[in-house]
């Protein structure tokens, strides 16, 4: 797989999003571990998770623990795998999502994530979502402290706008390495953030790059241009979507979620799908339904 850069690390151009393996509708553990192993065997070296990726109130960190278990039983070189996790979002267990961007909470959450993931430090730790009750600089300042303390190796932010990206870069003293925002054929409002990351040399990690758990399977039906390009190449529309995102900028590393080995095995093949400039332009200009 082609390699792309996140901070000081090289990762495969397609990552794996772990959320579907731990929230509502999740598969059994055996299938999840087979999915993670299939991704790793196919060349994936970035796995994205969060302490909030769980279903029930008493299982904070479910996905982190699952990934740690899968990595411990994988026969490959685990040192090449970058696990990115996040803090600042919470799930009380009733299906809702809440926020806590207080610095003291983020520091405690990061240390708890490190315990679940194992190792000496978290490879990439990201502030999950801005908390309107806490000044953004204070939340990101917690990441700066975690970097200085050696709890985390690299720092990123998620669900951020251009002003917050610039502010985080300033607070972190130029050490911001990634921005993880929603971006897909159906959700393109993060294009300014993608373009800013390309300008600054910061990795841009599209979450739900295929449109989300409930809509990814219908991508071709919802987007005619992607279906037509897929037919021309004899590949899935999902693979075309990921190849399109990769073509937008060399800083883009999509992280499609998966809960089946077959899904991530198809996704990683976007790495070798070469789209023409005309195809990229056509997909970029598609009128959304």
């Amino acid at each position: 797989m082609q390699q792309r850069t996140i901070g000081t690390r090289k990762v495969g151009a397609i990552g794996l999003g772990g959320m579907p393996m731990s929230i509502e509708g999740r598969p059994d553990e055996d299938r999840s571990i087979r999915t993670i192993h299939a991704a790793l065997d196919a060349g994936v070296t970035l796995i994205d998770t969060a302490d909030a990726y769980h279903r029930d109130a008493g299982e904070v960190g479910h996905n982190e623990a699952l990934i740690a278990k899968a990595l411990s039983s994988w026969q490959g070189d685990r040192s090449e795998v970058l696990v990115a996790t996040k803090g600042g979002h919470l799930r009380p267990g009733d299906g809702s999502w809440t926020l806590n961007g207080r610095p003291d909470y983020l520091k405690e959450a990061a240390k708890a994530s490190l315990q679940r993931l194992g190792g000496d430090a978290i490879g990439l730790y990201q502030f999950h979502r801005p908390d309107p009750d806490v000044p953004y600089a204070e939340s990101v300042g917690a990441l700066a402290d975690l970097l200085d303390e050696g709890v985390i190796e690299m720092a990123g932010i998620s669900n951020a706008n251009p002003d917050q990206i610039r502010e985080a870069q300033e607070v972190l003293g130029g050490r911001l390495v990634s921005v993880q925002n929603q971006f897909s054929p159906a959700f393109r409002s993060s294009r300014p953030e993608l373009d800013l990351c390309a300008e600054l040399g910061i990795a841009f990690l599209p979450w739900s790059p295929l449109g989300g758990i409930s809509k990814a399977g219908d991508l071709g039906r919802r987007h005619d241009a992607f279906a037509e390009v897929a037919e021309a190449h004899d590949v899935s529309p999902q693979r075309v979507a990921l190849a399109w995102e990769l073509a937008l900028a060399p800083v883009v590393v999509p992280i499609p979620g998966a809960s089946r080995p077959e899904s991530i095995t198809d996704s990683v093949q976007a790495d070798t799908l070469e789209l023409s400039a005309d195809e990229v332009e056509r997909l970029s200009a598609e009128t959304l339904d």
Side-chain angles (χ1 to χ4, degrees), residues 27-43:
D28 60 63
E29 184 177 277
D30 177 69
R31 194 176 90 189
S32 292
I33 289 178
R34 286 190 288 109
T35 300
I36 296 167
H37 285 179
L40 295 168
D41 290 341

Side-chain angles (χ1 to χ4, degrees), residues 49-125:
T49 183
D51 60 1
Y53 291 167
H54 62 89
R55 184 186 62 201
D56 304 322
E59 54 175 24
V60 174
H62 178 278
N63 196 246
E64 292 174 324
L66 175 68
I67 288 167
K69 183 174 183 178
L71 283 169
S72 70
S73 60
W74 184 56
Q75 298 302 307
D77 184 359
R78 295 190 292 274
S79 68
E80 295 184 356
V81 180
L82 174 62
V83 177
T85 192
K86 299 180 287 294
H89 235 342
L90 301 88
R91 301 201 76 197
D94 58 2
S96 67
W97 296 75
T98 60
L99 300 168
N100 190 338
R102 292 185 294 105
D104 57 345
Y105 170 77
L106 290 172
K107 292 177 187 180
E108 293 173 5
K111 291 171 184 175
S113 290
L114 177 57
Q115 277 197 319
R116 287 186 288 267
L117 292 170
D120 298 324
I122 295 172
L124 173 59
Y125 193 71

Side-chain angles (χ1 to χ4, degrees), residues 219-277:
L219 192 152
R221 184 178 61 81
R222 292 172 179 271
H223 304 280
D224 291 343
F226 286 82
E228 291 162 7
V229 172
E231 184 176 1
H233 287 271
D234 193 25
V235 299
S236 69
Q238 291 79 9
R239 202 183 302 182
V240 171
L242 295 172
W244 167 67
E245 291 164 17
L246 289 173
L248 294 177
V251 299
V252 175
V253 184
I255 45 173
S259 61
R260 292 179 173 84
E262 298 81 9
S263 298
I264 191 60
T265 301
D266 182 75
S267 290
V268 298
Q269 294 180 71
D271 169 66
T272 58
L273 176 57
E274 294 188 14
L275 301 176
S276 69

